[in-house]
Amino acid sequence: MTDPALSHARRRLLQGSAALAASPLAAAFALAATPKAVGQRTLGASGYGQLFPVKDETTGLPLLMLPEGFSYRSFAWAGERLAGTGEPMPGAADGMGIVKVDGEVFTLVRNHEIFGQDGSFGPAASHYDAPCGGGTVTLRYDRRAGKLLEARGSLSGTLVNCAGGTTPWNSWLSCEETVSPAGHGGFRRGRTFRLERAHGFVFEVPAEGVSDARPITDMGQFIHEAAVVDASDGTVYLTEDNRPAGFYRFLPRQRGQLGAGGRLQALRVKTHPDLRTGLKPGQRFDVDWVDIERPDQGWEAAADGSNAGGTLGVLRQGRAQGASLFTRLEGVFVRPDEIFFTSTDGGDAKAGQVFRFVPSQQRLELFYESPGARVLDYPDNICLSPTGSIVICEDSGAPVQRLYGLTRQGELFELARNNTELAGEMGFIGSFKGAEWAGACFSPDGKTLFANVYRPGYTVAITGPFA
């Protein structure tokens, strides 16, 4: 998600630049625009080469910078009309995944990280808490024709739907990145509001139709970021975007039936109760898991009964049994026998970490750590290419946001750059180059990379000579 403390992030970027200027890494940055420092190693990752402004084949605008030979089409812009209801499509386009493929037609579910209580959208059957404006939109995109076939609301009445993940049974898990009790009230945008239901849960959205808007309470009430299902055994791995945070797994009672309940657990490294700093890339840890006895009790009421309670109820339950601390865990992605996830401000430079977990060995590895904001700052959503390389969405306070590639050899390279400037086109005015990337996901054949530009909110389908 977008960190509200942007001014803080920009200060960190400047501080990181100053630190690097006095370090041996400075020479590497003077030689090339593509970052080449990874962890404590210097690598020669050039990726696909230099980036150039490329015109969008839909609008004709140079919205992105890409390597030579790559092209893209934008679709599903905020403000366009939703099928069925005619409502405007919401903005704040965040996490996204492909839930169905029918030849050249891809069905994607896209999160909308709406903070305000401005009212639900889409069919009423898919509303959880009617005053709330977060949720998901389901998109059907025809790659051969290069156009959007349909956009429809599929879940709403939720809050701050940040990321999530796909399931092997053709659905999307949409995660609320907030924790609030039922009856919580306040004042926002000149309006008073009152939540009718508790928030901080995961919801399932099918590829066809709409969500039943039932929270999966056994998956925990906490500041969720992402969730992904390991197809080998049905385990769901979940990240928490909080300071501090935990890394969790959910063991369902019935495989493929998440709503039937199950057991939530938090990761523990007995030798390292705090994994936020002081680690080295390549360092490995044996792990075990501790049970969360009351997963639906994430809100801690204030002693005076006010709304100023805490959001760490689930983490505190884990910590009481020795669960390890992370900071601001973000994207998570699965491939056979390995789970990758990011910590957006972890590491000694507070610029980001990428962890790798191997279920068969119950082993955690620090796969990558950014040495400073000039290299990579605030890694957020991630996905894996069919060849195993990692695509990282940047969400920092820098004036321009980038998509990065990270090879299995630990080489980091720039894949795309946000170049969005609008002068009334698509109904928006201003520079959006600083808007985060989100929702990256590859088509199964590896030929198309879908991704979102968070603000004003649109999706791109990038094609080219992906290796």
Side-chain angles (χ1 to χ4, degrees):
M1 68 160 284
T2 298
D3 187 346
L6 287 180
S7 59
H8 168 72
R10 291 190 175 99
R11 286 197 300 273
R12 284 197 333 96
L13 184 62
L14 294 173
Q15 291 165 357
S17 299
L20 283 170
S23 75
L25 292 172
F29 289 111
L31 291 174
T34 300
K36 297 185 179 182
V38 175
Q40 295 184 332
R41 298 166 288 173
T42 299
L43 299 166
S46 58
Y48 296 102
Q50 185 177 351
L51 305 186
F52 304 91
V54 177
K55 289 185 178 180
D56 173 22
E57 294 183 2
T58 301
T59 66
L61 301 171
L63 303 173
L64 306 183
M65 295 181 67
L66 295 169
E68 186 175 358
F70 285 78
S71 61
Y72 66 101
R73 288 184 178 273
S74 72
F75 60 96
W77 284 73
E80 293 181 352
R81 296 296 168 179
L82 294 173
T85 64
E87 299 164 290
M89 193 178 309
D94 209 304
M96 182 174 68
I98 299 171
V99 294
K100 183 180 179 183
V101 179
D102 184 8
E104 288 293 298
V105 176
F106 297 84
T107 300
L108 305 103
V109 180
R110 186 174 78 181
N111 274 5
H112 293 271
E113 192 185 31
I114 306 298
F115 290 80
Q117 289 72 37
D118 298 324
S120 300
F121 61 87
S126 66
H127 297 176
Y128 171 66
D129 194 356
C132 303
T136 65
V137 167
T138 298
L139 309 170
R140 292 181 63 245
Y141 178 78
D142 187 328
R143 182 170 63 178
R144 180 177 288 112
K147 67 178 183 179
L148 180 67
L149 301 180
E150 181 187 36
R152 54 183 171 81
S154 47
L155 168 70
S156 194
T158 49
L159 283 176
V160 198
N161 298 66
C162 195
T166 58
T167 74
W169 49 87
N170 303 108
S171 65
W172 169 256
L173 300 177
S174 184
C175 298
E176 288 188 304
E177 193 186 28
T178 188
V179 170
S180 299
H184 188 111
F187 187 78
R188 184 179 179 87
R189 297 179 183 173
R191 298 172 52 192
T192 58
F193 65 87
R194 180 181 178 84
L195 302 178
E196 299 298 326
R197 309 186 70 175
H199 291 265
F201 300 110
V202 178
F203 297 80
E204 189 165 5
V205 183
E208 305 289 343
V210 299
S211 173
D212 61 10
R214 287 191 303 141
I216 307 172
T217 55
D218 277 5
M219 293 177 73
Q221 183 191 30
F222 56 87
I223 297 182
H224 285 278
E225 174 70 25
V228 68
V229 179
D230 185 345
S232 68
D233 61 4
T235 300
V236 185
Y237 293 90
L238 308 102
T239 56
E240 180 178 25
D241 187 0
N242 211 342
R243 295 187 180 101
F247 182 64
Y248 304 93
R249 72 178 184 184
F250 175 71
L251 306 175
R253 292 192 184 95
Q254 300 178 40
R255 185 169 174 170
Q257 299 293 324
L258 304 181
R263 185 157 43 117
L264 184 68
Q265 298 179 317
L267 180 141
R268 176 174 64 181
V269 177
K270 292 182 179 179
T271 59
H272 284 73
D274 193 329
L275 296 165
R276 293 174 289 186
T277 59
L279 310 180
K280 302 297 181 184
Q283 193 170 353
R284 296 178 178 179
F285 314 92
D286 292 327
V287 313
D288 61 6
W289 301 84
V290 300
D291 288 341
I292 305 298
E293 297 295 338
R294 301 180 305 280
D296 60 342
Q297 296 184 24
W299 176 260
E300 299 172 314
D304 61 2
S306 70
N307 287 331
T311 61
L312 292 172
V314 167
L315 180 63
R316 291 189 195 280
Q317 293 178 54
R319 286 291 293 155
Q321 302 172 78
S324 296
L325 292 178
F326 298 86
T327 176
R328 286 202 62 197
L329 295 185
E330 295 275 0
V332 60
F333 208 87
V334 61
R335 58 180 275 125
D337 201 30
E338 55 184 2
I339 315 293
F340 287 91
F341 61 97
T342 61
S343 166
T344 199
D345 63 355
D348 293 344
K350 302 187 187 311
Q353 300 163 308
V354 179
F355 288 94
R356 175 177 175 262
F357 174 66
V358 182
S360 65
Q361 302 174 19
Q362 289 297 295
R363 181 169 293 172
L364 181 70
E365 174 190 357
L366 179 61
F367 182 77
Y368 167 87
E369 181 172 308
S370 175
R374 281 280 304 276
V375 179
L376 171 68
D377 197 29
Y378 279 26
D380 198 310
N381 291 176
I382 59 171
C383 74
L384 270 65
S385 73
T387 60
S389 295
I390 304 170
V391 174
I392 299 175
C393 297
E394 185 180 44
D395 177 17
S396 73
V400 175
Q401 301 299 297
R402 297 166 170 83
L403 273 180
Y404 285 99
L406 181 64
T407 72
R408 296 309 295 264
Q409 293 72 41
E411 299 176 336
L412 185 73
F413 61 91
E414 192 176 351
L415 176 60
R417 193 178 301 176
N418 182 358
N419 194 50
T420 306
E421 289 188 310
L422 301 171
E425 300 93 343
M426 311 308 294
F428 300 99
I429 298 174
S431 174
F432 299 91
K433 294 180 180 181
E436 69 180 273
W437 287 92
C441 51
F442 263 99
S443 60
D445 61 12
K447 295 180 180 180
T448 302
L449 173 62
F450 295 95
N452 298 326
V453 172
Y454 182 87
R455 188 172 285 110
Y458 65 89
T459 299
V460 291
I462 302 172
T463 57
F466 289 113

